[in-house]
Amino acid sequence: MTDFEIRRATADDIPAIVAMLADDPLGAQRESPDDPAPYRAAFERLARDPNQHLVVAVRDGRTVGTLQLTVVPGLSRRGATRSIIEGVRIHADERGNGLGTVLIEWAVEESRRQGCVLVQLTSDASRTDARRFYERLGFEASHVGFKLPLDG
Amino acid sequence: MTDFEIRRATADDIPAIVAMLADDPLGAQRESPDDPAPYRAAFERLARDPNQHLVVAVRDGRTVGTLQLTVVPGLSRRGATRSIIEGVRIHADERGNGLGTVLIEWAVEESRRQGCVLVQLTSDASRTDARRFYERLGFEASHVGFKLPLDG
């Protein structure tokens, strides 16, 4: 259950991360695993930003999970720093093994270490089991999440 | 209607921004306008971060609106950069004058300029008119927003 290592992603992890992003009902339409260039460029940008923490979970040498944690300073709530979790993915072979919990607990602990007073994330309303999952981990579904896609 | 200037916030804007954060049903319980130190520290951190854009709207020399735009690179959606809007506040005297629209349109335009393909934000479910406001501006309420407060 806890024999996963969670560590900062390296460039070598990009193909495994992209494969997980694409292996998803929503991601299948949005990703292009055969064209690595935009992913490599984005990885370089993440790696240079001290407020970005892209991590992977590894078991037996296989990259089987990922998430991105962004640390966001701000004035509201008495100058509170918050964190935002994005891009949580678990390899299909590892779902139901508790890895999602391990990854989110890592993100919460790292947020605390970074001085955050709040962790937040949004989940597509069509991901019906996500709500139970996050509520079990103590999150409150208190907000409505809005998105506006921009055309090229 | 459009006689607002939107510009990057300076340290001199902090008291006006904090007053707007506090003058709000939710903010009243969360802010401490009489203790400027944590706000000044947070402002310094925002000012140093090239992915943070804290702006104010000014009319006739008065700071009457604010929002924070965070640019977030990432691997998902083919290495897409997205932006996140937080801390949107309009001075009580200026509500209903179209300033909210001007501010959000500024944030969308700046996001485009920064190469973002998606703008996102969350709004407390108790802010019932926010939903109509954002939908009118083209946002889709497609997500559930989760928050986990961390104790000290």
Side-chain angles (χ1 to χ4, degrees):
Chain A
M1 219 54 139
T2 49
D3 52 349
F4 299 106
E5 180 202 359
I6 297 183
R7 61 162 171 77
R8 184 166 283 267
T10 70
D12 291 343
D13 295 309
I14 298 174
I17 295 172
V18 174
M20 287 187 283
L21 292 171
D23 181 23
D24 175 274
L26 298 172
Q29 307 150 35
R30 299 195 297 223
E31 306 299 341
S32 62
D34 298 339
D35 177 13
Y39 298 103
R40 293 197 175 276
F43 180 84
E44 290 307 316
R45 186 165 174 187
L46 288 170
R48 280 194 308 267
D49 184 337
N51 286 328
Q52 291 294 344
H53 306 274
L54 178 68
V55 297
V56 289
V58 177
R59 176 146 84 164
D60 300 334
R62 276 179 82 211
T63 301
V64 291
T66 182
L67 68 73
Q68 176 182 349
L69 185 71
T70 303
V71 175
V72 180
L75 290 197
S76 66
R77 299 176 187 240
R78 307 190 67 239
T81 298
R82 64 185 71 197
S83 67
I84 299 177
I85 297 172
E86 290 273 358
V88 182
R89 293 294 185 284
I90 308 294
H91 192 285
D93 298 350
E94 296 283 351
R95 287 175 201 158
N97 287 352
L99 175 54
T101 299
V102 171
L103 267 171
I104 299 295
E105 286 177 345
W106 176 89
V108 169
E109 206 37 63
E110 180 64 19
S111 299
R112 236 187 263 280
R113 217 179 61 77
Q114 301 268 345
C116 300
V117 303
L118 189 67
V119 184
Q120 63 190 52
L121 61 92
T122 68
S123 178
D124 195 288
S126 71
R127 299 191 194 275
T128 45
D129 30 358
R131 179 159 181 156
R132 277 195 310 277
F133 172 72
Y134 289 114
E135 287 183 336
R136 209 163 50 228
L137 289 167
F139 286 80
E140 196 190 341
S142 54
H143 282 60
V144 181
F146 296 87
K147 303 226 182 213
L148 174 71
L150 303 180
D151 312 321
Chain B
M1 220 52 142
T2 49
D3 53 349
F4 299 106
E5 180 202 1
I6 297 184
R7 60 162 171 78
R8 184 166 283 266
T10 70
D12 291 342
D13 295 309
I14 298 174
I17 295 172
V18 175
M20 286 187 283
L21 292 171
D23 180 25
D24 176 273
L26 298 171
Q29 307 148 38
R30 300 195 296 223
E31 307 300 340
S32 61
D34 297 339
D35 176 15
Y39 297 104
R40 292 197 175 276
F43 180 84
E44 288 308 316
R45 188 163 174 189
L46 289 169
R48 280 194 307 266
D49 185 337
N51 285 329
Q52 291 294 345
H53 306 274
L54 179 68
V55 296
V56 289
V58 177
R59 176 147 82 165
D60 298 334
R62 278 180 81 211
T63 301
V64 291
T66 181
L67 69 71
Q68 177 181 349
L69 186 70
T70 303
V71 175
V72 180
L75 289 197
S76 66
R77 299 176 187 238
R78 307 191 67 240
T81 298
R82 64 185 71 196
S83 67
I84 300 177
I85 297 172
E86 290 274 359
V88 182
R89 293 294 186 283
I90 308 294
H91 192 286
D93 298 349
E94 295 283 351
R95 288 177 200 155
N97 288 353
L99 175 53
T101 300
V102 172
L103 267 170
I104 298 296
E105 285 176 347
W106 175 89
V108 169
E109 206 38 62
E110 178 65 20
S111 299
R112 234 186 265 278
R113 217 180 61 79
Q114 300 269 343
C116 299
V117 304
L118 190 66
V119 184
Q120 63 190 52
L121 61 92
T122 68
S123 178
D124 194 289
S126 72
R127 299 192 194 273
T128 45
D129 30 356
R131 179 161 182 155
R132 277 195 310 277
F133 172 72
Y134 288 116
E135 287 182 338
R136 211 163 48 227
L137 289 167
F139 286 81
E140 196 190 343
S142 54
H143 281 59
V144 181
F146 296 86
K147 303 225 181 214
L148 175 71
L150 303 180
D151 311 321

